[in-house]
Amino acid sequence: MIGRSRRSRSKAAAPQGGRRSADPSRRPGPRRSPGRRAPVPWGPGTLAGQVLLLQVIVVLVLVAAAATALVLQGRYDGENDARKRSLAAAEAFAHAPGTALAFKAPDPTKLLQTPVMQAQAGAGIDFISVIDVHGVRLADTQPRLIGTKATDVSRAIAGETFTDTFRGKPADAVRAVVPVMDASRRVVGVVTAGIQVVNLGHLLDQQVPMVLGSAALALALATAGTALVSRRLRRQTHGLGPAEMTRMYEHHDAVLHAVREGVLIVGADGRLLLANDEARRLLDLPADADQRHVTQLGLAPELTRVLVAGEVVSDEVCPAGDRLLAVNTRRTAPYADAPGLVASFRDTTELRALSGRAEVARERLTLLYEAGVRIGTTLDVRRTADELAQVAVDRLADVVTVELLEAVLHGEEPTGAMHRMRRTALRGSRNPLQPVGDLIRFVVADTPMVAALRRGKAVRVPDLRAAEDWRAQDPQGARQVLAAGIHSLIAVPLRARGVVLGMVNFWRGAGSPRFEEEDVAVAEELGARAAVAIDNARRYSREHAMAVTLQRSLLPRDLPEQDALEVAWRYRPAQSGVGGDWFDVIPLPGFRTALVVGDVVGHGLHAAVTMGRLRTAVLNFSSLDLPPDELLGHLDEMVARLDTPAEGAGGEGSLVTGATCLYVIYDPVGGHCTFSRAGHVTPAVVDPVGRVVFPDLPLSPPLGVGGHPFETGELVLPEGSRLVLFTDGLVEDRRRDIDEGLAMLATAVAHPDQTPEDTCRALMETMLPEHPSDDVALLVARTRLLDPSRVAVWDVPFDVSAVSRVRTRVSRRLSEWELEESAFATELILSELLTNAIRYGAPPVRVRILLGSTLVCEVSDGSNTSPRLRRAATTDEGGRGLFLVSQFADRWGTRYVANGKVIWAEQSLGGARQPDASMLLDQMAW
């Protein structure tokens, strides 16, 4: 009964007034105009006829789609079967015992042609072709193709078996390509087998009659079923057309729902049968109110009593929530088949204006509450200003603009120059105002903005058309604003700690009332809350800028020149602030290079300063040319000493504990790489073909823990390998764990043709969001090897007489390298170092000469005693050897190895260094 009117067929007397006919023979049904012919029951004008036509069309479309799907499935099955048959034939021929041996015969074609023809006939396929590693056909079922070039078999020559649909000459075909391998698993040829595409159609031709017959049968059955459904529908609709039925229900809905009076129909059992829109609004009925008992609708007790009693009442006032309703009830009998009750309601609330004011006050309180939650969610000045505009627009004003002083935007202390501000935020659908980024100047002294800044309080302008000073400041802009319908303004200065930071302006346009005095208090409260948030963001921006400047100054600006590695790097600070991630590249003697990556836990100035101290310490320790484990040991002791004063001061200082470090030394002579790490994540190693591994290196505790020795791990890297050193911020994030991050990193760097710069770019784009939560340091180095022809090594007998022989060999090697101008200085340096090693050292003694961008001479022995440079007295017979070395070499030094020490001296190419003659003569005066 819901949504449809019914007329009673009762024989009771008509009500007074003669509105109801007394003829009981009248039956309910649609009324037609006189002279209008009834529609044909199955004609296109009836609902049943249209439904029948539509369903037949749908069935035709579905049957056609099913037939098409079957045809496509048949084609797919044919191609799939062809692939399997071709692959089986190709693999059988390629793996046959004599196939691989035939490629080594003087005339492979003679041995392969006959088996090819037999295999093609036995397998039931169209062709088999045998191809050598150069792509030339050696045998084919079409002899005319022997000797021609085959295409698209490079993958099989590389060792891959595959099937595909070949498009080209001699014919389109579904083929399988299988490599032929000899006993050593080396590809010696390729076998292709396949079926031509034109021969796949016979399977489809066999299926088409069956498909068409099934489609015709399905169409017939579906049409018959549709006809039965439409016949039933024709009986129920009495042959009416859609337009007539739609018009009948539209009239019913128009009468029921368009009236501004609530209507309820309640059945004899007390269940709700029908409720119009107005009744649902006035009574606040739930969406599923239909067929529920009136006692379950949540109505007021008095109203529920009236509906349950079923009595006839007129204009009885009942409360319903915050409304007072006038209720009228009537019984449905004798106007309906079933007994029930009809109730109508009118809203007679007389306190609407007062409730409206209460609603406005509630909205204002809600606005202020939301402002406290939504303004200042980030420590960004511009974002905070935009949040203020976003909260106020459409709730307090139609357009909101925020202007801030330039100093505030840069994080500096606000100055007294308040006549120049930068527009920072603009919100609103109608905004003919100056856009974000424009400079706003206040040149007229009595404008609302200037008055608000001078007084430090909000200024309200109810009617902008009457504000002559505001119009005089920018006549053209004022005309555009007024033309857009903006008519009212509240200007509020943004003040924090007694200092003006900027201004917020609230504008109202056409369709909104003027600002009232009550709105000023809300606007000032919004401005006060936003000013505090903006000032906090400004101070944070200043501290963040200071920390970034400090950290940038502590990180390396340019990487040093060295011959061992091709290096690229990236550093990305965290969104929340500056952190303690750092890196470094340090050239070492003997063309070796040290790579360092570290991470100090935490953010801010303390982390940046700690990072600088650790980096400086690593630079100092590396100058001693220590092994990685010893260097980390010294660094650990230094961190422990730095922590000691902080603990003694009662915990007022911040501890350094939590820093991690990875120290790597790479030697281009042989590609030897030594690692040591203190709590740091394992680096990635990418070999020249793109394979990525994370080597299992010894892991020691973070720096500052103490009590644990540091260990080293060693790798030998081929030339062209890439070392990827990074901090945990690159692979670990709130959205993923470290294992997932390492997998993503391996995928991003697994490309053999990537340069270090390409690798850095790919990792930054793939791994990091726009605003990372942790800072990231990334260092990528590609290895180089020193040419073996530029390395000379001699084992020296532990005898002083061997010095001259070694000197002669070195001189001969320098002549081969065309470095005759460096021969004298090199021989002198070598003589002094080698004589010292034999006299004061221990066997074994070895000499190594390295030629790169400089010339390096190294003498190693088994003693740990290190010589030192001193000034010999006039009466001393010795002690001048290392002085001579220091005069003729650009640099010299000592490093300790596992079984002794190495004394090295480095000379620049292009001529020997000229020593200080006066000092040299002074030392030689004895």
Side-chain angles (χ1 to χ4, degrees):
M1 185 172 180
I2 298 177
R4 181 176 177 183
S5 60
R6 297 176 58 186
R7 301 187 63 182
S8 174
R9 292 191 291 269
S10 172
K11 297 184 180 180
Q16 295 181 0
R19 290 188 178 183
R20 180 175 174 87
S21 174
D23 186 3
S25 63
R26 296 186 60 182
R27 306 291 295 175
R31 301 178 61 184
R32 299 185 178 90
S33 302
R36 182 179 178 184
R37 189 167 57 180
V40 180
W42 289 100
T46 65
L47 180 62
Q50 293 183 6
V51 170
L52 175 62
L53 179 61
L54 179 60
Q55 290 183 341
V56 169
I57 293 174
V58 171
V59 170
L60 284 173
V61 172
L62 292 177
V63 171
T68 303
L70 289 175
V71 171
L72 294 177
Q73 181 64 32
R75 179 177 295 276
Y76 171 81
D77 292 339
E79 289 186 0
N80 193 30
D81 179 69
R83 289 177 186 269
K84 294 180 179 178
R85 291 167 55 191
S86 301
L87 181 60
E91 287 183 339
F93 197 94
H95 299 159
T99 303
L101 297 176
F103 282 89
K104 301 180 179 179
D107 188 3
T109 303
K110 182 178 180 180
L111 298 177
L112 294 172
Q113 181 62 25
T114 300
V116 163
M117 301 299 293
Q118 294 174 351
Q120 182 266 338
I125 57 178
D126 290 341
F127 68 89
I128 296 178
S129 181
V130 182
I131 304 166
D132 63 11
V133 294
H134 303 291
V136 178
R137 293 184 175 88
L138 300 180
D140 197 287
T141 51
Q142 298 183 25
R144 62 183 178 83
L145 298 178
I146 297 175
T148 60
K149 191 78 172 182
T151 59
D152 297 335
V153 295
S154 57
R155 293 163 55 191
I157 294 175
E160 179 183 357
T161 299
F162 66 94
T163 61
D164 63 352
T165 302
F166 176 79
R167 303 291 182 183
K169 294 182 179 181
D172 298 345
V174 175
R175 67 172 185 175
V177 186
V178 180
V180 180
M181 298 184 181
D182 58 10
S184 60
R185 305 301 296 171
R186 182 172 58 89
V187 177
V188 298
V190 176
V191 174
T192 65
I195 300 175
Q196 296 181 3
V197 174
V198 296
N199 294 332
L200 296 177
H202 71 280
L203 295 176
L204 182 63
D205 296 339
Q206 297 175 1
Q207 294 179 354
V208 167
M210 181 182 66
V211 171
L212 295 179
S214 301
L217 178 60
L219 178 61
L221 293 176
T223 303
T226 302
L228 293 176
V229 173
S230 299
R231 180 180 179 184
R232 177 64 177 173
L233 181 61
R234 179 181 61 84
R235 292 178 179 177
Q236 293 182 348
T237 58
H238 302 286
L240 293 176
E244 292 176 325
M245 296 186 65
T246 300
R247 186 165 53 251
M248 180 178 67
Y249 282 103
E250 285 177 349
H251 292 168
H252 169 270
D253 290 340
V255 173
L256 183 64
H257 297 289
V259 296
R260 304 309 300 168
E261 187 170 1
V263 177
L264 290 183
I265 300 180
V266 181
D269 57 352
R271 295 185 178 275
L272 179 64
L273 302 180
L274 182 144
N276 69 347
D277 295 341
E278 185 68 9
R280 292 180 180 274
R281 184 186 69 85
L282 294 175
L283 301 178
D284 196 18
L285 297 177
D288 58 345
D290 295 336
Q291 298 300 323
R292 293 175 62 177
H293 200 274
V294 293
T295 57
Q296 302 174 354
L297 299 179
L299 303 178
E302 186 175 354
L303 183 57
T304 302
R305 179 190 58 78
V306 171
L307 296 177
V308 171
E311 301 175 354
V312 177
V313 297
S314 297
D315 294 330
E316 182 173 343
V317 177
C318 297
D322 57 353
R323 297 184 178 90
L324 295 176
L325 303 180
V327 182
N328 294 273
T329 60
R330 297 290 186 272
R331 295 189 181 91
T332 57
Y335 304 97
D337 296 337
L341 185 72
V342 177
S344 62
F345 311 88
R346 293 195 310 275
D347 189 0
T348 60
T349 305
E350 299 178 353
L351 303 177
R352 187 176 301 274
L354 181 59
S355 63
R357 294 193 187 98
E359 180 65 19
V360 171
R362 186 184 65 83
E363 291 180 356
R364 288 173 177 169
L365 290 175
T366 303
L367 173 62
L368 293 177
Y369 170 77
E370 292 186 4
V373 175
R374 296 171 56 184
I375 297 177
T377 58
T378 64
L379 292 174
D380 183 84
V381 174
R382 289 178 172 81
R383 178 68 180 275
T384 303
D386 187 68
E387 289 172 346
L388 167 61
Q390 188 176 4
V391 167
V393 76
D394 294 335
R395 303 284 295 275
L396 180 63
D398 297 320
V399 180
V400 180
T401 60
V402 181
E403 293 83 40
L404 297 177
L405 296 173
E406 292 279 359
V408 175
L409 291 174
H410 297 150
E412 302 171 359
E413 287 291 337
T415 62
M418 297 184 296
H419 62 282
R420 290 163 51 94
M421 295 185 184
R422 184 73 62 180
R423 178 146 292 169
T424 310
L426 173 61
R427 286 278 182 167
S429 57
R430 300 185 297 270
N431 48 7
L433 304 170
Q434 290 177 256
V436 173
D438 276 13
L439 187 63
I440 309 298
R441 294 182 175 88
F442 306 113
V443 296
V444 178
D446 293 333
T447 59
M449 294 78 170
V450 175
L453 292 173
R454 185 173 59 249
R455 301 173 189 172
K457 298 172 59 179
V459 173
R460 179 176 66 95
V461 183
D463 187 2
L464 286 174
R465 296 184 182 275
E468 297 181 358
D469 294 331
W470 172 77
R471 299 174 63 183
Q473 177 176 349
D474 183 8
Q476 183 179 358
R479 284 194 297 269
Q480 294 177 355
V481 170
L482 295 175
I486 296 178
H487 56 79
S488 190
L489 165 69
I490 295 180
V492 181
L494 297 175
R495 295 169 56 89
R497 298 182 293 113
V499 179
V500 174
L501 306 176
M503 168 168 290
V504 56
N505 298 310
F506 303 95
W507 312 78
R508 280 187 179 176
S512 299
R514 296 179 177 180
F515 282 114
E516 303 294 340
E517 284 295 335
E518 293 82 358
D519 298 320
V520 175
V522 178
E524 285 186 331
E525 181 64 23
L526 285 177
R529 297 189 181 191
V532 173
I534 291 174
D535 188 56
N536 291 337
R538 177 196 62 80
R539 289 189 288 178
Y540 170 79
S541 299
R542 180 182 60 182
E543 294 179 1
H544 183 266
M546 293 172 57
V548 169
T549 302
L550 174 62
Q551 187 182 43
R552 294 292 186 188
S553 65
L554 296 176
L555 287 173
R557 298 183 180 179
D558 296 313
L559 298 181
E561 295 184 0
Q562 39 81 34
D563 299 332
L565 298 167
E566 178 187 353
V567 181
W569 61 275
R570 290 290 189 277
Y571 175 77
R572 180 76 65 84
Q575 180 185 12
S576 58
V578 175
D581 289 16
W582 56 282
F583 65 92
D584 215 336
V585 178
I586 307 170
L588 298 176
F591 306 126
R592 296 170 303 130
T593 303
L595 303 176
V596 192
V597 172
D599 183 5
V600 177
V601 176
H603 295 88
L605 286 174
H606 171 72
V609 171
T610 303
M611 176 270 293
R613 299 166 78 177
L614 292 180
R615 178 171 177 257
T616 303
V618 171
L619 287 172
N620 292 332
F621 290 142
S622 64
S623 65
L624 302 176
D625 206 353
L626 300 174
D629 55 340
E630 292 186 21
L631 186 143
L632 290 184
H634 287 293
L635 197 64
D636 182 63
E637 292 178 2
M638 187 204 76
V639 171
R641 287 196 300 270
L642 291 177
D643 284 345
T644 302
E647 295 175 357
E652 296 181 359
S654 297
L655 301 180
V656 185
T657 304
T660 66
C661 184
L662 171 64
Y663 190 82
V664 183
I665 295 180
Y666 174 71
D667 189 351
V669 182
H672 189 266
C673 199
T674 306
F675 302 80
S676 187
R677 58 186 181 129
H680 203 82
V681 63
T682 304
V685 179
V686 188
D687 65 9
V689 298
R691 290 189 295 266
V692 182
V693 297
F694 295 92
D696 186 13
L697 302 175
L699 177 62
S700 301
L703 299 175
V705 175
H708 298 274
F710 292 92
E711 303 180 36
T712 60
E714 298 183 354
L715 294 175
V716 177
L717 304 180
E719 187 172 14
S721 299
R722 278 172 290 155
L723 282 170
V724 183
L725 286 70
F726 51 90
T727 55
D728 56 359
L730 181 67
V731 295
E732 194 172 13
D733 193 74
R734 301 188 189 98
R735 303 168 299 171
R736 61 173 183 261
D737 57 19
I738 191 170
D739 292 333
E740 183 181 356
L742 292 176
M744 292 177 61
L745 183 144
T747 303
V749 302
H751 301 281
D753 55 345
Q754 277 186 345
T755 64
E757 185 66 28
D758 295 336
T759 304
C760 288
R761 186 182 305 109
L763 289 175
M764 290 294 105
E765 295 174 354
T766 304
M767 305 292 295
L768 295 184
E770 182 178 358
H771 300 291
S773 59
D774 193 8
D775 49 343
V776 174
L778 172 65
L779 191 61
V780 180
R782 184 159 59 185
T783 62
R784 299 169 180 159
L785 290 180
L786 193 62
D787 191 345
S789 63
R790 293 175 174 262
V791 180
V793 182
W794 296 277
D795 292 324
V796 182
F798 201 68
D799 187 359
V800 177
S801 62
V803 175
S804 59
R805 295 194 299 272
V806 175
R807 187 169 56 242
T808 302
R809 294 175 184 174
V810 171
S811 179
R812 188 181 304 115
R813 179 57 62 92
L814 293 179
S815 299
E816 295 175 1
W817 289 345
E818 298 179 355
L819 296 177
E820 290 84 356
E821 67 277 7
S822 302
F824 173 75
T826 304
E827 290 179 11
L828 188 147
I829 293 171
L830 178 64
S831 297
E832 295 298 335
L833 297 182
L834 192 55
T835 302
N836 281 341
I838 294 175
R839 286 183 176 178
Y840 307 111
V845 179
R846 175 172 294 181
V847 174
R848 186 170 73 163
I849 306 296
L850 305 176
L851 176 60
S853 59
T854 60
L855 181 64
V856 178
C857 176
E858 296 180 348
V859 176
S860 62
D861 66 86
S863 171
N864 291 326
T865 303
S866 175
R868 60 186 179 88
L869 179 64
R870 66 185 180 91
R871 180 177 293 273
T874 306
T875 58
D876 291 344
E877 295 183 359
R880 298 172 177 82
L882 290 182
F883 174 77
L884 295 176
V885 172
S886 67
Q887 290 298 305
F888 283 94
D890 295 307
R891 295 191 307 155
W892 75 278
T894 304
R895 72 172 181 269
Y896 294 96
V897 294
N899 297 315
K901 66 177 181 298
V902 176
I903 306 178
W904 56 270
E906 182 177 289
Q907 305 173 69
S908 59
L909 301 179
R913 176 187 175 191
Q914 298 298 325
D916 187 343
S918 61
M919 294 184 63
L920 188 60
L921 291 174
D922 187 36
Q923 286 291 325
M924 300 295 293
W926 63 280

